[in-house]
Amino acid sequence: MQLQIKYFGLIAEITNCEKETIEFSKTLVSELLEELFVKYPSLKQKDFKVAQNHEIVSNSSEITNPEIALLPPFSGG
Amino acid sequence: MTKERKPKNVFKEGAISSEFIAESIAKHQSKTSIGAHNIFLGQVRADDIEGKTVSAIEYTAYEDMANAKFHEIREATFSKFNLTCMHIYHSLGTVKIGEICLFVFVSSLRRKEVFKALEYVVEEIKAKVPVYGKEIFEDSTHQWKVNS
């Protein structure tokens, strides 16, 4: 499945882009992260959460939506 | 008395002006069942970090998710507290020190509800809404703000 990955804040500085489309053939959030860690090794040390359908999901969740976001700690207000 | 509330766009480009805030207050003069308003204004602070001074914050957000979360917070607040109305505005883009970046406005028949409701709304926003503040220093370097 084609996934659009969105990056925010400090995470977007590491990936050097705010979004990208990748081909993903596996199932779980953890498997997506493994692939992203290969592409962006320094992501591994960063604090972030993964969102799908506008909700934070765990690493063991299945990816069902083509839009996934990597969200560093919030700092609104 | 339940009415359907649709998600609103909470974001405004740049700082929230004092004229806009005054106008919001004035608009409530026709709602004469209200006996108490409470307002939170978040202001950009000139923090000193390791000898450098913040001159502005540049806000970005995962806007779709953020508006969905603002809507959830509104719904939860209306169900927990007896409010007449509520308005939330958050800046995107550059807001200079001393300017307002968050405006939360709650109104009720009586004061006790608005004191509790306002704190709840602001804390929920800080914890649940994907907004990011990039603190720009006077020398043009930056760091990503972390809420404490």
Side-chain angles (χ1 to χ4, degrees), chain A residues 27-69:
Chain A
T27 325
L28 303 175
V29 168
S30 58
E31 292 168 325
L32 172 64
L33 291 180
E34 284 306 315
E35 293 188 10
L36 293 176
F37 290 155
V38 171
K39 195 168 180 185
Y40 308 108
S42 52
L43 268 188
K44 234 175 178 163
Q45 283 86 48
K46 297 299 173 192
D47 180 15
F48 66 88
K49 293 190 162 69
V50 176
Q52 168 168 256
N53 299 320
H54 303 154
E55 295 292 342
I56 305 293
V57 292
S58 73
N59 286 1
S60 57
S61 303
E62 263 186 46
I63 292 180
T64 54
N65 189 302
E67 182 177 304
I68 299 290

Side-chain angles (χ1 to χ4, degrees), chain B residues 13-27:
Chain B
E13 195 57 40
I16 299 163
S17 71
S18 46
E19 291 78 12
F20 179 83
I21 295 162
E23 181 105 339
S24 294
I25 297 167
K27 277 182 189 161

